[in-house]
Amino acid sequence: MSEEKTLQFHEMGLDDRVIEAIARLGWAEPTLIQEKAIPYVLEGKDILARARTGSGKTGAFVIPIIHKILEGKRTATEQVIQGLILAPSKELCKQIKENIAQLTVSCKREVQFVDVSAQVPLEAQRPLLLNKPDIVVGTPLRVLAHMTAGNLKVKESLKFLVIDEADLMFAFDHLNDIEAVLKQLPKIYQSFVTSATMWDDVKRLKKLVLNKAVILRLEEPPVPTTAQLTQYVIKLNVMDKVILINVLFRLNMIRGKTIIFVNNVDKGYKLRMYLSQFGISSCVLNSEMPVTSRCHIVEQFNSGKYDIIIASDEQSLEDPESSKNKHTKSKRKKDKESGVARGIDFQFVSNIINFDFPQNVEGYIHRVGRTARGNNQGTALSLVSVGEMESFNKVETKLKGLMPGTEAVFKDFKFDMKQLDGFRYRALDAWKRCTSIAIRETRKKELQQELLNSTKLKSFFEDNPRDLQVLRHDKSKHGLTPMTHLKHVPEYNIPDNLRRVSRISKKIKGNKNAPKVKLDKNQKKRATKTQLKYKIKKADPLQSMEFSGFKKQKT
Ligand code: AMP
């Protein structure tokens, strides 16, 4: 079965300019969804594809659409809007736009596109739409607003409609907007719907937009195979999570970029403040942040400026049914076009840590989908407290059902928390210092900083220097002062079996304050950075199974 030869891009009859762009991207061969979907789209079929994030689904619809646009250009007499791509969040729209840019690199003049999801005045985008780009990308809300304002008219011209991450459209309450958009489309067009699930809501959408669709339920597991993604679970009590996360980072046991997930926004800030007291820097990401800040953070993370992101994945908390009441749940303004875990292309993430366990299997799948992308290896570590066991059991059962043949989805790490007793007092004390007042003050400080940095407000401050003074001198009373002495981990605190791992890590990091690493003669001769890196990889809990620190408890 698996012997079947993959249909290659150059065998699909695609325009040379598209093939050239694919080659420039270094995509050696199509992903499963691309291999299956592209020929059908080229044939003119509607598609409903179940595809997980990271499967290459964007290419699966963008590649054939570009090809068809180029084909149509040979005989076209006028420039019209031919493709409309709807995605649930601004971040996703931006990624799709970037993907289109990469795939049209060899036909820039022929294929025009615009992403209208950015929250700028509609008027500012109007000229872009009046130029009639070939493809328009946007969130349903934004596209509808342009249609209502008369900026976007496609009734006579649209040929392709894509609804990406359809299941998430429901979680984000986008259905009414989509229905309103559909009323502005011509009777006949070709559609492509992607969704991570095929549940009832998606079937409803299928009826609305798809005609005799080819349904691609690819034999692709919803999460990468256990060979590619190692999934650990540690069952422990709530406060032990606080100590463990501290120890994992302070003893440098986690290598590579990491996303830590928590279940609410304040917890995200609290965790960041807590870790920062120990010199562990991270940044937070949540849907209450302005979209430009969020994009900036993801860009910085992708470019290697930060190694740890703490994401508050609220969407996974809200089941689509109850999301109708979500405005009454929180007093704070949430941005409904923002999703943290879903779709965003975090790059080169080695580890996912569920500090809070997600409430359902979709949340879990989308979180771990941030790692092990392409052919990369990844690790997911879930810290599960007694109160979360019910959710964990449900997720485990569902994952087993989704991945037949997999005996154990999670590798169990039972260990003796007593080993970490030396860290307990300071860790819990630092956690207690992160009170809600301290969190509020920290957030206020950050907001002030954003205001001070805002170019838009520059001229306002020039006219109102007093306001600038007030902002500058409004010293926070309750924010935490960093406790630099906590950065250092006294040698006697490190459990014997963790010492080797910790020392080698420090050596690699070149920490000046770190105690000198004693290496034996041979090691001294050969201890190049690369070799040490290899050593730590072998000893790293989250990079290999040979981790010796948390030995299974002897009973
Ligand atoms: P997507 O699922 O569309 O968000 O794609 C996830 C990641 O896979 C993106 O970073 C793409 O650039 C990358 N990708 C998509 N198709 C391919 C391919 N055929 N070969 C290698 N990487 C790909």
Side-chain angles (χ1 to χ4, degrees), residues 1-35:
M1 256 188 323
S2 54
E3 300 292 302
E4 235 175 74
K5 207 175 147 281
T6 308
L7 181 71
Q8 300 298 325
F9 284 120
H10 66 85
E11 295 167 331
M12 293 177 179
L14 293 166
D15 190 287
D16 285 350
R17 289 161 286 185
V18 180
I19 294 287
E20 194 184 318
I22 292 172
R24 281 210 211 178
L25 275 170
W27 294 0
E29 57 175 35
T31 62
L32 187 60
I33 172 111
Q34 290 165 355
E35 185 197 358

Side-chain angles (χ1 to χ4, degrees), residues 55-115:
S55 60
K57 63 187 168 56
T58 318
F61 56 80
V62 168
I63 290 171
I65 289 178
I66 296 172
H67 167 90
K68 289 191 134 194
I69 290 173
L70 286 170
E71 200 175 45
K73 294 260 165 174
R74 289 201 209 121
T75 50
T77 51
E78 56 173 344
Q79 175 69 25
V80 290
I81 297 176
Q82 306 188 47
L84 177 61
I85 301 178
L86 301 176
S89 68
K90 290 168 208 156
E91 292 89 341
L92 261 171
C93 290
K94 191 165 171 250
Q95 268 166 50
I96 294 170
K97 187 195 85 177
E98 279 162 10
N99 243 296
I100 301 175
Q102 291 166 333
L103 288 163
T104 52
V105 73
S106 305
C107 52
K108 279 185 200 149
R109 281 210 215 133
E110 289 86 349
V111 183
Q112 315 286 316
F113 53 89
V114 66
D115 166 20

